[in-house]
Amino acid sequence: CLMIITAIASSVTALAKDTRKTIRVGWHEEPYFITDQYGRRSGYSYEYQRKVAAYTGWDYEYVKGSWSDLFQMLKNGEIDMMSNVSYTDERTKDMLYASLPMGTEAYYLFVSPDNKQITADDYSSLEGKRVGVTKGSIQKEIFEKWVKMHDVKVELVELTTPDEESQKLLGTKLDAFVTIDVYGDSEIAVPIWKIGSSDYYFAVSKQRPDLLPELDAAMGSIQDENKYYNQQL
């Protein structure tokens, strides 16, 4: 009897392993994804992914890269899912969005602490300056609308390096840099203007539409369990 029970249990375990999905997900820079000196993972998006996996049973295969590179990989179908993707109508041609957002982020224009030329009380002080922004990001679209609204012309520099590295260019190759507020390091960059905000989502490759119903069900369950989950996380 013990041998029969063991054989059945082994078969069930093997079947469970076979039916679990392994999802290729993007892993980009802090603070959404953090790896400490001991190799332990954490971060807003990492924790959210684990929460989703608690409902879906997914396993994750992490693919590391800059946000810009991973975003292109998602469009190409080289990864299955990516976090922190703001919604635009244009992007829906290349990817599928979860029905509920995973958070909201605010965007600021940062300058070097030593910068005396760009002042918060005068938008025209930004005229003709070199402003860096992550290539392909929603920040670029929002910033372009912002400068148009304030009738300012700038030299926009699209970057593919991580935001922490891009900010180090302030005062040398860049006069200002646009990113989310959590990237601010007062020693190298200080926020001077808020230019906008947006919700951001999990996005799924169009080559993996089978993931979207499971993702939507998980997101709905998370919100049903705790409607303040995003804010508390």
Side-chain angles (χ1 to χ4, degrees), residues 123-124 127 145-153 194:
Y123 294 119
S124 65
E127 184 74 27
K145 294 178 181 177
W146 185 87
V147 293
K148 185 176 181 180
M149 179 177 67
H150 293 291
D151 195 26
V152 177
K153 292 183 175 58
K194 180 180 178 179

Side-chain angles (χ1 to χ4, degrees), residues 131-137 140 144 155-161 174:
V131 180
V133 66
T134 301
K135 184 177 181 180
S137 66
K140 176 178 178 288
E144 287 176 332
E155 181 182 347
L156 202 60
V157 181
E158 295 189 70
L159 304 165
T160 58
T161 53
L174 295 175

Side-chain angles (χ1 to χ4, degrees), residues 16-184:
K17 288 182 178 178
D18 289 342
T19 56
R20 289 177 70 92
K21 292 181 180 179
T22 298
I23 314 301
R24 298 171 298 173
V25 294
W27 180 285
H28 54 83
E29 63 267 21
E30 299 182 10
Y32 294 110
F33 297 95
I34 301 168
T35 306
D36 70 12
Q37 59 182 325
Y38 303 107
R40 295 175 299 193
R41 293 187 170 106
S42 63
Y44 187 96
S45 292
Y46 173 78
E47 301 298 344
Y48 219 128
Q49 288 174 357
R50 302 313 304 172
K51 187 72 171 179
V52 168
Y55 288 96
T56 61
W58 292 345
D59 293 320
Y60 294 120
E61 176 187 330
Y62 294 106
V63 180
K64 295 183 179 180
S66 68
W67 189 93
S68 297
D69 290 341
L70 291 168
F71 184 69
Q72 188 60 47
M73 292 176 72
L74 179 69
K75 293 197 290 185
N76 295 342
E78 298 172 66
I79 59 175
D80 303 314
M81 188 173 78
M82 187 171 172
S83 312
N84 321 114
V85 181
S86 297
Y87 179 90
T88 68
D89 291 335
E90 182 68 23
R91 289 176 176 178
T92 58
K93 299 175 183 177
D94 301 305
M95 60 196 68
L96 306 170
Y97 281 88
S99 58
L100 295 174
M102 60 178 294
T104 303
E105 58 189 11
Y107 311 118
Y108 286 79
L109 186 139
F110 289 82
V111 298
S112 167
D114 301 324
N115 191 312
K116 306 300 181 185
Q117 296 179 327
I118 302 175
T119 57
D121 58 350
D122 183 7
Y123 294 119
S124 65
S125 63
L126 193 61
E127 184 74 27
K129 300 295 190 296
R130 288 174 57 84
V131 180
V133 66
T134 301
K135 184 177 181 180
S137 66
I138 191 69
Q139 294 99 300
K140 176 178 178 288
E141 297 180 28
I142 292 176
F143 182 63
E144 287 176 332
K145 294 178 181 177
W146 185 87
V147 293
K148 185 176 181 180
M149 179 177 67
H150 293 291
D151 195 26
V152 177
K153 292 183 175 58
V154 300
E155 181 182 347
L156 202 60
V157 181
E158 295 189 70
L159 304 165
T160 58
T161 53
D163 281 13
E164 300 91 5
E165 296 300 319
S166 297
Q167 286 192 75
K168 294 177 182 178
L169 301 176
L170 289 173
T172 54
K173 296 183 179 180
L174 295 175
D175 298 302
F177 181 71
V178 176
T179 188
I180 60 176
D181 55 345
V182 295
Y183 282 124

